[in-house]
Amino acid sequence: MDEITISAPATVSNVVCGFDCLGFALSEPFDRMTLRKTDRREIRISHQDDHDLPVDPEKNVAGVALKAFLDRTNAKHGFEIEIMKRIKPGSGIGSSAASAAGAVVAANRLMSEPFSNRELVELAMAGEVIASGSRHADNLAPCIYGGFVLVRSLDPLDIIELDFPPLFATVIHPQIEIRTSEARKILPVTVPLKDAVYNWSNLAAFVAGLQNGDYDLMARSMVDKIIEPVRSGMIPRFDVVKAAALSAGAIGAGISGSGPSVFAISASAQTAEAVAAAIEKVYSETDIQFIVYVSPISASGVSPI
Ligand code: HSE
């Protein structure tokens, strides 16, 4: 096989109580990429979208991830990649992770799968670092594995796939850009012990709620005393959007990744649609453009199409 086309899903990371360690895959939106082997050991990139992303492989997230991949192989060939980005950069739903994850999963398929999913997350992290300035895998891991995923440790990388009950996500993406690197600079370096206890108790309870399909426990656990209070100020009308989502019946709601997208999860597609209508109403009262996605949590990550 010399060519493959894949889809790479958007992802929601942090999920309120799991900063830098918890994430899930969405069914919509997703990027599309075609990867071809080239005769020489090189990386060539082209973008079939309007995002004006760099095509220099050393500056492009997918290019950096592919270089990390090639460096771990003896391949005599390289790769040419065509990227059609549908996940807007700076949206908070794992745009850079989709580029990096999509590239390495596609390359792995073209080379008869020398690497495990865990190794692919490790390789893709090289790309994520140039986008966000930090190593984290809470978008990459669900993008590659699908479903709900916990990153217990980065070094060594330890990824746990979680069971989860039927869940539907509503995501509103206000059309403003927040760079992850900027959204990380404003975070506290130290936190009071009582806030840390509050957060890790809730993360553990949320995971128990997921495993047991206990929506009420999940709802009680989607709280955060450390990150959300600092970052929410960067998102116009965040508190109103969150309150509207909860009033419409969402299990919980919060900032998707580093924002500006705000997500909610619901137990049914019908509630997720009602949440969409409620939060659309909030943003319709502003002059900020927005896009809303309603999608089931996807059990699959990057997949051939
Ligand atoms: N966990 C990361 C953050 C995700 O919140 O900074 C951003 O991609």
Side-chain angles (χ1 to χ4, degrees):
M1 187 163 63
D2 289 331
E3 177 179 315
I4 186 170
T5 298
I6 55 93
S7 64
T11 46
V12 169
S13 59
N14 299 339
V15 200
V16 183
C17 53
F19 176 69
D20 266 4
C21 62
L22 185 64
F24 63 81
L26 294 165
S27 308
E28 285 275 346
F30 55 86
D31 287 349
R32 197 184 154 107
M33 288 180 203
T34 299
L35 199 75
R36 285 181 208 98
K37 286 184 187 168
T38 59
D39 293 339
R40 292 177 35 228
R41 200 176 153 99
E42 62 180 343
I43 294 166
R44 291 203 303 261
I45 298 172
S46 62
H47 267 276
Q48 319 289 324
D49 52 52
D50 301 327
H51 299 305
D52 203 24
L53 290 167
V55 290
D56 176 347
E58 301 204 351
K59 297 191 178 128
N60 182 291
V61 171
V64 172
L66 273 182
K67 180 168 185 315
F69 181 102
L70 268 185
D71 287 349
R72 285 275 306 277
T73 73
N74 298 321
K76 296 205 168 36
H77 61 80
F79 296 108
E80 174 186 36
I81 183 165
E82 272 175 35
I83 305 176
M84 188 186 292
K85 230 176 182 355
R86 294 178 172 149
I87 312 168
K88 205 168 171 183
S91 55
I93 47 173
S95 179
S96 55
S99 294
V104 296
V105 172
N108 204 42
R109 291 269 182 140
L110 283 188
M111 293 187 66
S112 309
E113 311 207 330
F115 298 115
S116 66
N117 277 348
R118 195 187 64 82
E119 289 169 313
L120 291 175
V121 172
E122 186 82 58
L123 294 169
M125 242 189 303
E128 185 73 305
V129 168
I130 66 152
S132 69
S134 73
R135 267 168 64 84
H136 57 89
D138 52 337
N139 289 105
L140 286 171
C143 189
I144 289 178
Y145 285 76
F148 237 109
V149 178
L150 181 79
V151 183
R152 190 201 62 83
S153 152
L154 283 180
D155 194 13
L157 193 56
D158 189 0
I159 294 169
I160 300 155
E161 292 179 83
L162 303 170
D163 291 336
F164 60 97
L167 284 171
F168 297 81
T170 309
V171 176
I172 186 158
H173 174 202
Q175 304 289 291
I176 53 174
E177 185 178 350
I178 294 181
R179 287 180 179 275
T180 298
S181 52
E182 298 301 318
R184 293 181 79 86
K185 278 188 200 147
I186 62 171
L187 296 179
V189 177
T190 58
V191 298
L193 184 59
K194 65 177 178 23
D195 291 349
V197 172
Y198 183 90
N199 269 37
W200 66 54
S201 310
N202 280 295
L203 174 57
F206 183 78
V207 170
L210 273 182
Q211 301 289 102
N212 298 326
D214 183 340
Y215 293 123
D216 290 338
L217 179 57
M218 289 164 61
R220 296 202 297 285
S221 313
M222 287 181 73
V223 286
D224 165 27
K225 283 204 176 170
I226 298 172
I227 310 297
E228 186 177 288
V230 182
R231 282 186 172 168
S232 56
M234 300 171 80
I235 302 171
R237 311 217 65 199
F238 173 79
D239 293 339
V240 185
V241 170
K242 180 170 172 170
L246 297 177
S247 297
I251 295 167
I255 304 170
S256 176
S258 55
S261 290
V262 177
F263 82 99
I265 50 173
S266 301
S268 71
Q270 200 182 8
T271 307
E273 292 289 355
V275 169
I279 59 184
E280 273 178 35
K281 185 164 181 294
V282 175
Y283 265 101
S284 302
E285 289 157 7
T286 71
D287 52 12
I288 301 166
Q289 303 290 308
F290 59 87
I291 301 174
V292 175
Y293 303 99
V294 178
S295 93
I297 289 186
S298 171
S300 27
V302 178
S303 309
I305 42 179

